[in-house]
Amino acid sequence: MPKKHTLMIISSILMMLLMGTVYAYSVFRYHIEDLYQISTLTSGFPYMTSLFFYAFSMMVTGRHLKPTRLRGFVFYGTLLIILGYFLSGIATHIGMLVFSYGVLIGTGVGMVYGVPIYMVQKLYPKRSGLMTGIILLGFGMSPLITAPLTSALIEWTSIRQTFFILGVVFLVLQLPLSYIFILKERTTFKQEPVEQRFKEKLKPFKRIYALFVIATLVGLMMIGLTYQVGVRYYGLNETHVTIALSFFAILNGLARPLFGKLMDNQGFKFSGILSVSLIVVASVIGLINRGSTFFLFGISFGLYWFNLGAWLAIVPATIKEFYGIQQYAKKYGLMFTGYGVGAILGTLASGYILDMLGETSYIYGFILALMVVSAILLSQMPKKIKRSI
């Protein structure tokens, strides 16, 4: 591996680790409610807005990603993140925080996030799945490091000062890293390899998109419900559930390189079927267990966390598998809007089910029904397409 490539990979992992701080919002949430004297529902708006703009900016910037523009996207995206944290530190009401944390930071993260993933498709055409998974490992496991550090900073200073400190961290660490990202176009990437007629006839994008929406809907929904289900509905020990969250985060991170490698070797259909099967197992365990034992709770929710990480590695490799390098940036940006759609639908569905029916069994039944839909969609997908790059 060339020295410059190694530096870009290490830089990508570090940036993902830093940006994964956005998933530590639950650490801020209690303090935000106290600071602005708002409800739990209202305090969730900045996070939901951030997820939406994260996915939306991925779609917009994905259409314009080119080897010579990588540095610019990382630089300007990081500036938005820095500005977002600084403004969050002086926000006087929740509406301003929705704009600073939600719109600015979400947009900035989306702009930067797509760059390392696009980069590995170019530099490692035969191992892009594995390399994408390794880079995304940093994003998935970030809360293990950033959540406790952020919590300590809030206790040591204040939530406003913590936002300022995070802005300085991005200014000092991530902004300089933007100068590493630039690629020179290679002639081997200018030619779009084939099976164009086959792909046009098949038109797999809508099916892949639907599968991604379902996967993120289930994953984000269950991740958001983990603590609530474990403590409130199952009556499990709060400390044990909190410790389990760290274990689940590790599983979420490890799934990314594991399924990235699986994508390289077996392709989309096999990887998708395996993931759907694991989600079915998790749901059946949930129906059987219903809080009777902590061990089964851990297996069930651990599998949900694991499979969200899996799909975040499956999708970028799948786009390259079906559409090639030339269409990658545009297609992946559009595909990632499914993440935002899944987040919104998952939140609405789980809230409705639990508020109206008050029983977790209906959640598991809902997921199993979605897995039937996923199985049907997967059955209509072709086997792995063999490519020369």
Side-chain angles (χ1 to χ4, degrees):
M1 184 186 298
K3 184 177 180 180
K4 186 176 180 181
H5 294 180
T6 302
L7 184 60
M8 291 176 76
I9 293 298
I10 293 174
S11 299
S12 296
I13 294 172
L14 178 57
M15 289 196 309
M16 289 294 183
L17 189 66
L18 289 170
M19 293 191 299
T21 306
V22 72
Y23 281 148
Y25 183 76
S26 59
V27 175
F28 298 123
R29 195 163 183 171
Y30 171 79
H31 301 279
I32 288 172
E33 290 173 9
D34 186 55
L35 179 64
Y36 298 115
Q37 293 297 298
I38 54 177
S39 66
T40 300
L41 176 63
T42 306
S43 69
F45 290 164
Y47 181 60
M48 291 299 297
T49 304
S50 183
L51 288 181
F52 173 80
F53 277 90
Y54 164 34
F56 180 74
S57 67
M58 277 281 290
M59 177 190 70
V60 176
T61 58
R63 294 173 177 271
H64 304 286
L65 273 180
K66 290 183 179 179
T68 55
R69 294 179 178 174
L70 304 186
R71 181 180 293 169
F73 277 112
V74 176
F75 181 80
Y76 291 113
T78 301
L79 282 182
L80 285 177
I81 295 172
I82 294 169
L83 179 61
Y85 275 120
F86 283 161
L87 289 179
S88 294
I90 61 174
T92 56
H93 55 83
I94 189 63
M96 186 173 177
L97 190 66
V98 169
F99 173 73
S100 60
Y101 192 94
V103 179
L104 294 182
I105 293 178
T107 300
V109 170
M111 288 177 67
V112 179
Y113 185 93
V115 171
I117 298 175
Y118 173 81
M119 177 197 71
V120 297
Q121 313 306 317
K122 292 280 191 180
L123 297 180
Y124 305 96
K126 294 182 180 179
R127 292 184 294 154
S128 60
L130 175 62
M131 298 308 295
T132 298
I134 290 174
I135 287 174
L136 293 181
L137 182 66
F139 203 90
M141 297 185 71
S142 176
L144 274 177
I145 301 172
T146 57
L149 286 179
T150 301
S151 180
L153 281 173
I154 293 174
E155 294 299 323
W156 180 48
T157 57
S158 67
I159 186 169
R160 292 186 185 278
Q161 288 299 318
T162 298
F163 281 135
F164 278 121
I165 292 171
L166 287 173
V168 172
V169 168
F170 275 88
L171 177 64
V172 174
L173 295 182
Q174 184 156 305
L175 198 62
L177 292 178
S178 65
Y179 285 90
I180 296 173
F181 289 86
I182 190 167
L183 296 175
K184 291 184 178 179
E185 187 70 84
R186 287 167 49 184
T187 55
T188 51
F189 298 142
K190 292 180 180 179
Q191 304 250 346
E192 177 69 11
V194 137
E195 297 119 355
Q196 197 65 38
R197 281 170 38 187
F198 173 71
K199 288 188 295 181
E200 288 176 356
K201 181 179 179 181
L202 181 65
K203 295 183 179 178
F205 188 86
K206 291 181 180 178
R207 295 190 189 111
I208 300 171
Y209 188 87
L211 285 163
F212 186 48
V213 168
I214 291 173
T216 52
L217 185 161
V218 172
L220 293 172
M221 176 176 70
M222 298 312 284
I223 283 176
L225 289 175
T226 302
Y227 187 86
Q228 183 179 7
V229 168
V231 175
R232 181 180 298 178
Y233 287 89
Y234 291 169
L236 299 174
N237 183 277
E238 293 184 28
T239 302
H240 292 168
V241 174
T242 302
I243 293 173
L245 291 175
S246 297
F247 173 68
F248 297 157
I250 293 174
L251 289 177
N252 180 270
L254 291 177
R256 302 172 191 228
L258 288 175
F259 268 81
K261 180 64 174 176
L262 194 63
M263 279 295 301
D264 290 337
N265 295 336
Q266 301 294 334
F268 174 70
K269 191 167 186 175
F270 180 88
S271 302
I273 291 173
L274 177 59
S275 177
V276 167
S277 299
L278 290 174
I279 294 173
V280 168
V281 170
S283 302
V284 171
I285 291 175
L287 281 172
I288 294 173
N289 181 46
R290 298 174 67 181
S292 59
T293 68
F294 180 81
F295 178 71
L296 290 178
F297 163 79
I299 292 177
S300 180
F301 276 80
L303 284 173
Y304 288 128
W305 283 63
F306 180 82
N307 280 282
L308 178 63
W311 277 91
L312 290 174
I314 287 173
V315 168
T318 299
I319 294 301
K320 197 198 76 171
E321 179 182 327
F322 284 97
Y323 294 97
I325 293 291
Q326 289 296 96
Q327 299 186 65
Y328 176 80
K330 179 179 178 180
K331 292 290 186 181
Y332 182 58
L334 183 58
M335 178 65 68
F336 207 79
T337 60
Y339 183 91
V341 173
I344 294 171
L345 293 179
T347 300
L348 294 176
S350 61
Y352 176 80
I353 292 172
L354 291 179
D355 287 344
M356 297 298 294
L357 304 175
E359 174 59 57
T360 59
S361 296
Y362 293 104
I363 291 285
Y364 300 125
F366 173 59
I367 294 173
L368 287 172
L370 289 176
M371 289 307 100
V372 171
V373 175
S374 294
I376 293 173
L377 291 170
L378 281 166
S379 69
Q380 299 172 345
M381 297 297 293
K383 294 181 179 180
K384 182 178 180 181
I385 295 175
K386 300 293 182 180
R387 294 186 172 278
S388 59
I389 66 168

